[in-house]
Each structure stands twice: as C-alpha cells, then as structure tokens.
Amino acid sequence: MMSKPLALFVKHDGQSGRASVTCAYKCGNACFHEAPNTSENTYFGDIVSSLNRRGLIKGGAAAVLAVGVGGALAACGDDDESGAAVTPTYTPAGAAGTGTDFTAVAPNKEDAIVIPDGYQQSVVIRWGDPVLADAPAFDFERQTAAAQAKQFGYNNDFAALLPIEGQPNSFLLVVNHEYTTGPHMFRGYNKDAPTDEQIAITKAAHGLTVIEVKGEPGSGKLTPVFGKYNRRITADTEFLLTGPAAGGMFTQTGADSSGTKVKGTFANCSGGVTPWGTVLSGEENFHGYFANSDKVSDPTGKPRIKRYGFAKGATLNQWERTDKRFDMASEPNEPNRFGYVVEIDPWDPTSTPVKHSAMGRLKHEGATIYVTENGEVVSYTGDDERFDYMYKFISSRKIKAGTGQASMRHNMTILDAGTLYVAKLTGDHADKIDGSGTVPSDKGFTGKGAWIPLLETGTDGKGKSLVDGMSAEEVAVFTRLAADKVGATKMDRPEDFEANPYTGKVYVALTNNDNRGKDDKVAGPDEANPRKLNKNGQILEITDDHAGTDFTWSLLLVCGDPAAADTYFAGYDKTKVSPISCPDNLAFDVYGNLWISTDGNALKSNDGLFSVVLDGPNRGQTKQFLTVPRGAETCGPIVTENRVIVCVQHPGEADDATPENPLSHWPEGGAAQPRPAVAVVWKANGRIGV
Ligand code: FEO
Ligand code: CA
Ligand code: CA
C-alpha cells in the first residue's frame, strides 16, 4: 500500500515558513497543540526578592577560553598538571564591523547555498556518507540499518569543529542528527506501516557523528578521513544517567533496574563545546518518540505527561512496534530517561556518554558553557517550546587546567554537581507594552531579571530540592513543573543560548510564538516578548552576573521585515539591514560579531545565516551571509577566521515532497534525492568578512 498523502499532516496557520511535515516529525506538532505550559505564572510579577544567594560568586571580567584544542585545554584551575596555558583565540575588532565586510545575499528561493561574491563552497559530508572505514557507500535505493549505523546520520543540526593537537589543519567534526522523515528517506514509504528495517534505519540515523576532517592549504575545503576517533552514536548506544534522577523511582525500567543505563539519544538539536574538549548535545523534542501516553495507568503521571506534550496512540516513527521501551503503556518510565543534556567525549570512541540530570529535564535546545575568571562553570540552556523557560546551571566544582587524565576526570564531573536556576524577567516599560512591538523611545526594550534556584546537586550526586512540595528527584525529572511553581517567565521559544566569549554578554534566540496573546488563556505580550502572535522572533541580550543570580537585559533585534513597523535592529538604520525571521542558532566570530541561523523564515524566503555587529556605531547592522536550499533550515553555524560551516537540515522537506517528486536535488543536483549535509564556505586566500 502506498503511503497516505502527506497533505494529511496537520496544516498550521501559515505563521511560519515551516512545512507541516517538519512540524510532525521534528517537533511532534508541538506548535499545533495547545502549548503545554498552562501554569498561571504571571509573566511579569515582582521579582522574588529573597533568592537563595548561597554560593553566589561575582563573575568579574570574562575569562576567555580557547576551547577544544586536542581534547582538554582549560583555564582557571590550580591543578599542578602543567597543561597548555590558555591563549585566547579571540582578537578584538579593529574598526566596528570588522568581519562583516561582504555583500549581503538577497532573499531568494534557490535550490542551492547562495553565498556572497568572492566566496567558494563545498559539501563536507552528506547523509549516508561512510563514517567508519568498513561502511558501504550510500545507496538510496538499497538502504540497510547495518549500513546506516556506520554512515553519516540524517538531519544534521549542531556542529562542533575541534582542532586535533599536533595535526595542523585537522579537526574532529562532531554533528547531531536530530530526527528522520520516512516519507523523504524511503521510496514508497507507508507511514502507517513502516517496515521493521525502515524503523531500524531511522533509529540508526539518529544520534551523533564524530568524524575527522582535513583541510587544504589556501582553501577552506574540508574532507572526511577514516580516523581513529570516528564514531557513530545512535538511538541504541549506551549512556550513563547521572545526578538526582539516576537510579530512582522515575528512571528504573524493566530492562534497566539500575535506572542509570539508558539506551540511546535522539531529538538532539543544538549543543555546545566544553573548554575541556567534550561536546554537549540537547535532547529536545523527545516526546514525539513515545507512544500510548493515554494508556499510562498511574494517575499522578497525567499532569507530567501533559506538561511535556506526549501524544496519544502510535508515534509517527513507530519505534514502539519493534522496541517496547517506546510504548509508555509497558514502560512508563522510559521517557523520563530522555530530555537531558548529554556529554560526549569525542576523543575516546569507546567512552560511555553521560546524561546530566542535575541540569534538568526539559526540551533542551542545547547547552553552552561560560567560564568565569574564578573558574566557575556556567551552562545556559533554553527550553524550546512556546511559553517555556530559560535556565542556567552553575557548577560547584571549578574547572581544572591541564590535559592530563586527572584534570579530564575532574572536568567530566563538573556538570554533575551544582545548582540549576530558571529565569524570571521584569521590564522597565511594562505599562507601555501593547503587543504592537512599538519600541520604547528611551533605550528600547529593557529590563532586569533574576535566576531562581530549583535544584542543588552535591558532589555525591544527591539532590536537594529548592522548590516547595517537590523532591529533588521530581525537580530533576519534571523540571518544567518545578519552574512553573517558582513563577519563571514564559518566553517565545527560547532556542540557542550563547555567551559572547569576548564581552561575556549572553544572547538568546527566541524563535517565534504565534500563540502569544492569541486569547485570554495564554500569556500576553510583555517587554521581552513584546509582540502578539509573534511570527518572526527576537534576540535577547543579557548582561549576566554569570555565577550569580541577577541580570539586566535588552532586546538586540526584533526580527522580521525591516520595512515593518514592528521590527527593531538595535537602533541601526533599518533601510540598511537584511530581513531576518525565526532566529534559531547562534555563534560568534573571532571579532565578537554575532552570527544567527534561521529556522522557518516567515518572510517567504529560504532560511539563512546572518552576521550582526554588536559594538560600535554599526551595532545592529544585520547582513545575510548565505541562504540554504529549498525546504532546508540553517543549523550548527561555526564561524572561524577562515571558514563558515553550516549544517543544511531537511533540504527538500515539504508536505507534498516524495522521492518521486522531490522539492530539492541538493547537494548533488540533477535528478538526485535531497540529502541533509554539512557545508563549508570560504574566501580564497582571504579571511571571512575581511
Ligand atoms: Fe530543534 Fe529548537 O530546534
Ligand atoms: Ca534548533
Ligand atoms: Ca529550530
């Protein structure tokens, strides 16, 4: 039987450029259903004045860290191992805007990566390309799970590029594979009855890839190598669950009475790199992988199931058919083992990756690290759902310098002990916010905020709840419910969250929220989320007391068509900026400029990558550096002095696209099937944006 027409996918109301099939497979239609945050948190109430300030350490000046060099390179410790000293790789911009001197790419609908004049591009690796030396070549018509488990996975999102010590121009490329779409991966796919082999292939196409890549002199091109670090992590790779959730009543299952050995990771969206050389990855829309939430018999589970958005009946991928752990009727605790920040040591292909429950369970977009000059490690994470929250984790252990095993062992435990906080914001012009996006005339949208403590985890892994009426284990596993109780601020889909390694200021991409203020049942506009029915998103800039609990904030960008009255580019001349919509992932270049990739452009153009000047007279100048092919989302941007790397996720994804009728033929062109892939852009004999 042929598959049902994809037009049967839920059609959204046209607010974003995303195809309905993307919403169904990627997010489990998170935006179609009522937003799961129905808590009565006031959006802008009084800031809790008596915060727990124990352990508050003023951050002072930013410690700038070089990350990921050769496995472990860290600062701020007093370890007697003589590891490499920290050498900041970031150099100040000379004139304001240095690094963004290129001709902006115009909005377009091309089936190509469109780049500025004078730049070149190539594809680094595509879905199905061999990762392990014994992997077969990709054959779209004859896929197998055994092959996929050794090949590059589907729908690349986050990417990290880590220099290999002692091997100039060689790197580890670490990439997340967020989700799969059977209707585009397989010819004649029956979405009501995928074959067992198709189910196994989609499981193997999730997770992460670690692969060595090599550069060439005078070019930015990168070529995969069958190196000793190459590894695939899939939905079946063993992980160790640590922290207050580990081994407890919510994480024990029929197959794992220890409650600590979890099979696999999936829905890995964005991520981060630690200064000790590991990679973090956020488990985001994990709810879409578990079937039959309506058949869970324990009545106490119902509000928890609702708050995380699990659906009734079968899942789209139907993994529950071949693996009962995805059936909540038989294994109600299995979903409690997903939704964490995971940490991978890419320098040891035999290592067991870790899931850190001390950092909470939510739809983690990613996790990014900032280290203060005192060595405190702060990790920021957004919970990507309409009306959900922003979190940070402050470690109690300080980072140790050195590349030796003792330092590495220590640093690998940093994210296991510390305090988890959620953000509450107030606005300076709260009485003037009417939902239109009209910018307050003095300093724009500005305000203050506080980080409210939820959970303190000791170095023994045991938790202490800081939320009335919830145990530490409950806070670790049902973190959203804990955050509801303390009155956290409901945001417009907080996605990537990054500290500028240069200035210490922290930036958050708030993608959109087409439900903001739509009726009396949901939160209305406020100063940080100032537009009703927000289609285009905004960028929040936070001046944070990193290891403390206070901050101030402003909106850097209110995205959309620059000609529209409700957009704002930090006061920069709006006739001289590129249109930008649905900001998602963030990165910084070596000059301290912010780069933003987009997901779901609501302005009828392909998604793209943009540079934004943050300092000097050109602050707010926003320029489109590239656009990705039809149907694709721009992910995982990395901007170095000589290269821009983007993950092109879901090229050709559209409701009516099939292998017989593809929307895109990228990257191979001709009549080829579209393949998610990582691409690199460079300027011959030159530096990016200079
Ligand atoms: Fe996977 Fe929040 O985007
Ligand atoms: Ca994302
Ligand atoms: Ca996204």
Side-chain angles (χ1 to χ4, degrees):
M1 191 176 93
M2 291 296 289
S3 77
K4 286 189 181 173
L6 290 170
L8 288 183
F9 286 112
V10 173
K11 193 72 193 163
H12 288 199
D13 46 12
Q15 299 285 24
S16 132
R18 232 186 210 186
S20 302
V21 63
T22 312
C23 299
Y25 280 92
K26 183 188 185 102
C27 310
N29 283 322
C31 292
F32 176 68
H33 301 288
E34 182 194 346
N37 188 355
T38 54
S39 68
E40 292 177 353
N41 288 351
T42 50
Y43 213 54
F44 275 124
D46 293 334
I47 286 196
V48 174
S49 57
S50 57
L51 293 173
N52 176 354
R53 295 174 73 88
R54 277 173 301 161
L56 185 153
I57 303 165
K58 294 284 179 191
V64 178
L65 288 172
V67 293
V69 182
L73 168 61
C76 312
D78 51 7
D79 188 81
D80 58 7
E81 291 179 88
S82 54
V86 170
T87 308
T89 55
Y90 298 92
T91 47
T98 301
T100 65
D101 185 11
F102 56 85
T103 305
V105 165
N108 65 76
K109 298 287 277 180
E110 300 293 318
D111 190 27
I113 295 181
V114 181
I115 55 178
D117 288 344
Y119 285 78
Q120 295 173 279
Q121 61 176 298
S122 75
V123 169
V124 182
I125 188 165
R126 305 161 295 187
W127 166 47
D129 283 343
V131 171
L132 304 183
D134 58 346
F138 181 64
D139 184 342
F140 181 85
E141 307 295 347
R142 278 170 286 278
Q143 298 176 53
T144 67
Q148 178 63 83
K150 297 175 180 178
Q151 296 167 333
F152 195 65
Y154 205 69
N155 274 349
N156 30 226
D157 196 303
F158 174 75
L161 192 68
L162 311 176
I164 301 176
E165 198 170 31
Q167 294 182 42
N169 226 357
S170 287
F171 308 86
L172 284 194
L173 178 67
V174 184
V175 179
N176 283 355
H177 302 293
E178 186 179 7
Y179 71 105
T180 54
T181 49
H184 304 118
M185 292 170 70
F186 307 111
R187 201 179 291 283
Y189 184 72
N190 180 350
K191 79 181 182 70
D192 294 321
T195 68
D196 288 1
E197 187 67 13
Q198 286 170 336
I199 288 172
I201 292 167
T202 59
K203 285 176 80 180
H206 278 71
L208 291 98
T209 288
V210 180
I211 188 163
E212 290 187 42
V213 293
K214 202 161 175 42
E216 312 180 341
S219 152
K221 191 173 180 182
L222 292 168
T223 306
V225 176
F226 291 124
K228 64 180 178 182
Y229 301 112
N230 290 15
R231 181 181 192 185
R232 275 302 323 282
I233 288 169
T234 72
D236 286 309
T237 303
E238 186 173 310
F239 280 68
L240 175 69
L241 178 65
T242 63
M249 62 182 289
F250 301 121
T251 52
Q252 292 168 347
T253 64
D256 174 32
S257 59
S258 78
T260 60
K261 290 182 183 166
V262 182
K263 275 177 78 177
T265 190
F266 40 81
N268 302 81
C269 194
S270 192
V273 177
T274 69
W276 50 94
T278 61
V279 171
L280 306 177
S281 170
E283 293 181 332
E284 191 191 19
N285 288 299
F286 61 94
H287 64 291
Y289 293 79
F290 295 94
N292 299 323
S293 72
D294 49 325
K295 298 200 176 75
V296 172
S297 50
D298 174 10
T300 59
K302 296 268 186 275
R304 295 166 179 162
I305 285 167
K306 193 160 179 249
R307 187 64 180 84
Y308 284 86
F310 294 97
K312 299 174 181 173
T315 65
L316 268 183
N317 290 324
Q318 298 197 18
W319 291 1
E320 69 273 13
R321 231 186 55 212
T322 59
D323 191 342
K324 285 296 166 203
R325 67 193 174 104
F326 295 104
D327 182 350
M328 291 173 75
S330 3
E331 283 291 1
N333 275 351
E334 185 70 12
N336 298 338
R337 294 143 62 91
F338 296 85
Y340 296 104
V341 171
V342 304
E343 183 172 8
I344 316 271
D345 178 2
W347 306 98
D348 178 2
T350 66
S351 59
T352 302
V354 173
K355 300 193 179 202
H356 293 288
S357 76
M359 300 170 81
R361 174 170 167 268
L362 40 115
K363 294 182 188 174
H364 287 280
E365 170 72 10
T368 51
I369 297 286
Y370 182 85
V371 182
T372 71
E373 64 176 10
N374 293 324
E376 294 107 347
V377 179
V378 184
S379 176
Y380 294 93
T381 191
D383 185 346
D384 178 15
E385 181 123 30
R386 293 165 305 162
F387 304 114
D388 255 296
Y389 307 135
M390 308 188 303
Y391 297 81
K392 79 171 176 183
F393 176 83
I394 305 175
S395 74
S396 56
R397 290 184 174 104
K398 291 188 180 182
I399 197 168
K400 279 193 179 179
T403 55
Q405 283 199 356
S407 287
M408 191 68 178
R409 267 200 308 275
H410 168 89
N411 291 334
M412 283 289 288
T413 64
I414 278 178
L415 301 176
D416 282 333
T419 305
L420 177 67
Y421 299 81
V422 69
K424 180 160 181 157
L425 284 70
T426 52
D428 292 337
H429 313 84
D431 55 336
K432 296 196 179 68
I433 304 301
D434 61 5
S436 67
T438 302
V439 185
S441 56
D442 53 351
K443 293 179 180 164
F445 299 104
T446 58
K448 300 179 184 60
W451 294 101
I452 306 171
L454 301 174
L455 176 67
E456 193 178 301
T457 303
T459 50
D460 58 0
K462 293 202 167 61
K464 178 180 160 199
S465 171
L466 304 172
V467 178
D468 286 345
M470 291 181 80
S471 69
E473 202 177 338
E474 286 171 335
V475 177
V477 179
F478 308 110
T479 310
R480 283 182 161 188
L481 290 157
D484 292 345
K485 279 176 168 267
V486 301
T489 297
K490 297 177 176 178
M491 306 299 291
D492 287 346
R493 290 188 56 201
E495 295 226 40
D496 211 353
F497 209 134
E498 296 266 356
N500 185 337
Y502 212 28
T503 63
K505 289 195 177 171
V506 181
Y507 295 80
V508 188
L510 298 159
T511 292
N512 58 34
N513 183 349
D514 56 13
N515 269 14
R516 171 75 60 184
K518 104 178 154 167
D519 57 35
D520 293 344
K521 295 194 194 102
V522 297
D526 60 44
E527 196 158 348
N529 306 275
R531 290 182 295 188
K532 285 174 90 168
L533 311 177
N534 177 11
K535 299 179 200 175
N536 291 303
Q538 63 265 22
I539 301 287
L540 182 70
E541 181 180 68
I542 297 175
T543 304
D544 194 25
D545 182 4
H546 300 279
T549 54
D550 296 327
F551 60 92
T552 58
W553 61 265
S554 66
L555 290 186
L556 174 76
L557 303 182
V558 181
C559 300
D561 181 349
D566 70 348
T567 56
Y568 175 70
F569 292 76
Y572 191 76
D573 182 348
K574 294 208 294 174
T575 65
K576 295 180 179 162
V577 299
S578 298
I580 179 170
S581 173
C582 302
D584 187 343
N585 299 130
L586 305 177
F588 293 94
D589 64 22
V590 297
Y591 313 102
N593 300 302
L594 176 66
W595 291 66
I596 304 172
S597 62
T598 68
D599 168 18
N601 190 327
L603 301 174
K604 304 191 186 326
S605 164
N606 288 349
D607 275 314
L609 177 69
F610 301 77
S611 65
V612 185
V613 177
L614 295 178
D615 290 316
N618 291 337
R619 176 176 158 86
Q621 184 191 58
T622 300
K623 292 171 75 174
Q624 183 157 257
F625 179 78
L626 61 75
T627 52
V628 293
R630 287 182 203 141
E633 161 186 352
T634 323
C635 296
I638 299 170
V639 183
T640 72
E641 210 169 1
N642 304 314
R643 291 185 179 89
V644 173
I645 293 171
V646 287
C647 288
V648 178
Q649 197 190 63
H650 58 77
E653 194 167 276
D655 298 348
D656 53 359
T658 62
E660 291 71 37
N661 182 30
L663 172 70
S664 168
H665 301 288
W666 189 85
E668 288 149 275
Q673 296 296 328
R675 290 164 73 179
V678 181
V680 60
V681 179
W682 68 94
K683 189 161 77 173
N685 301 311
R687 287 181 289 159
I688 299 297
V690 175

